[in-house]
Amino acid sequence: MAAQMGGVSQNEKARTLVRRIGEELVARSYAAKSPYKFSFHVLADPRTVNAFALPGGPVFITEGLLRLLKSAAEGAAV
């Protein structure tokens, strides 16, 4: 899936931000009690505006969507 969307982003700042937001959401929600191991990833595709989750816990957001967000709260809403 990542290969189809430009691979994993090389933008360390974006990856850290997405991981921090995702881990905080998990810690503060019922998801913390889930058996799933959540992981958060930024895909390098700058044109596609998309985010999705796969079974088992992987969560992805594209650089195209991430650049449109104006705050961490908007990122959390995604």
Side-chain angles (χ1 to χ4, degrees):
M1 180 60 79
Q4 293 176 357
M5 302 191 93
V8 176
S9 174
Q10 297 302 307
N11 183 333
E12 182 63 34
K13 184 177 177 182
R15 292 191 335 243
T16 299
L17 175 66
V18 168
R19 185 173 45 250
R20 182 183 56 79
I21 292 169
E23 289 174 355
E24 185 174 338
L25 282 172
V26 169
R28 295 175 177 241
S29 70
Y30 181 77
K33 297 176 184 172
S34 167
Y36 300 114
K37 168 103 171 78
F38 292 92
S39 58
F40 304 92
H41 311 277
V42 178
L43 299 174
D45 189 334
R47 294 175 302 203
T48 302
V49 176
N50 198 8
F52 56 93
L54 298 176
V59 178
F60 298 86
I61 186 169
T62 62
E63 286 182 357
L65 175 55
L66 193 58
R67 70 179 157 77
L68 297 175
L69 303 178
K70 294 178 178 59
S71 68
E74 288 184 359
V78 170

